[in-house]
């Protein structure tokens, strides 16, 4: 398969929130294509697919630490032939997730 398109999705977000990213590629022989996402934090998706050549593929990821991450994608066809890694999408996770505990105030009457 040809090198997948650089992933598309949010460029920044909050730690602890899952975000979707998409890509696609074609195979010159029309073979089905599977994809693996490198999330840039030492983890990878499982191989997703196979999908029809040219289909848009989506995968989501949640980062657990602040930082800048480079998401890349590799494809393989049904014959086990691999593409190169895509150009990266740099994602910044600058915020800690804020938990909002909605606890009503109790007014004590004396």
């Amino acid at each position: 398969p040809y090198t997948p398109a650089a992933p598309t999705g949010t460029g920044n977000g909050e730690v602890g929130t899952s975000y979707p990213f998409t890509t696609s590629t074609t195979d010159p022989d029309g073979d089905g294509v599977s994809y693996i996402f490198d999330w840039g934090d030492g983890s990878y998706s499982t191989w997703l697919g196979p999908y029809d050549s040219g289909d848009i593929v989506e995968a989501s990821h949640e980062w657990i630490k602040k930082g800048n991450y480079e998401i890349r994608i590799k494809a393989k066809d049904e014959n086990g032939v691999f593409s190169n890694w895509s150009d990266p999408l740099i994602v910044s996770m600058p915020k800690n997730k804020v938990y909002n505990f909605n606890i009503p105030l109790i007014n004590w009457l004396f």
Side-chain angles (χ1 to χ4, degrees):
Y2 294 114
T3 301
T8 58
T10 187
N12 57 47
E14 294 182 3
V15 170
T17 300
S18 182
Y19 295 96
F21 298 90
T22 60
T23 191
S24 68
T25 193
T26 57
D27 185 85
D29 301 321
D31 293 335
V33 180
S34 296
Y35 299 83
I36 190 166
F37 286 67
D38 173 357
W39 299 114
D41 61 358
S43 68
Y44 298 81
S45 70
T46 59
W47 280 99
L48 307 172
Y51 294 91
D52 289 338
S53 180
D55 280 358
I56 295 174
V57 176
E58 179 178 291
S60 296
H61 188 66
E62 176 182 323
W63 287 267
I64 59 172
K65 291 172 35 176
K66 289 182 185 182
N68 294 322
Y69 302 96
E70 289 189 6
I71 303 170
R72 305 178 307 154
I73 302 155
K74 182 177 269 202
K76 71 175 177 179
D77 69 16
E78 293 172 320
N79 296 307
V81 177
F82 292 89
S83 71
N84 292 321
W85 285 102
S86 70
D87 289 335
L89 170 66
I90 298 173
V91 175
S92 178
M93 293 293 145
K95 300 178 183 176
N96 285 324
K97 186 165 182 145
V98 176
Y99 294 94
N100 183 7
F101 295 102
N102 189 7
I103 301 172
L105 294 176
I106 299 173
N107 293 322
W108 293 96
L109 299 175
F110 294 97

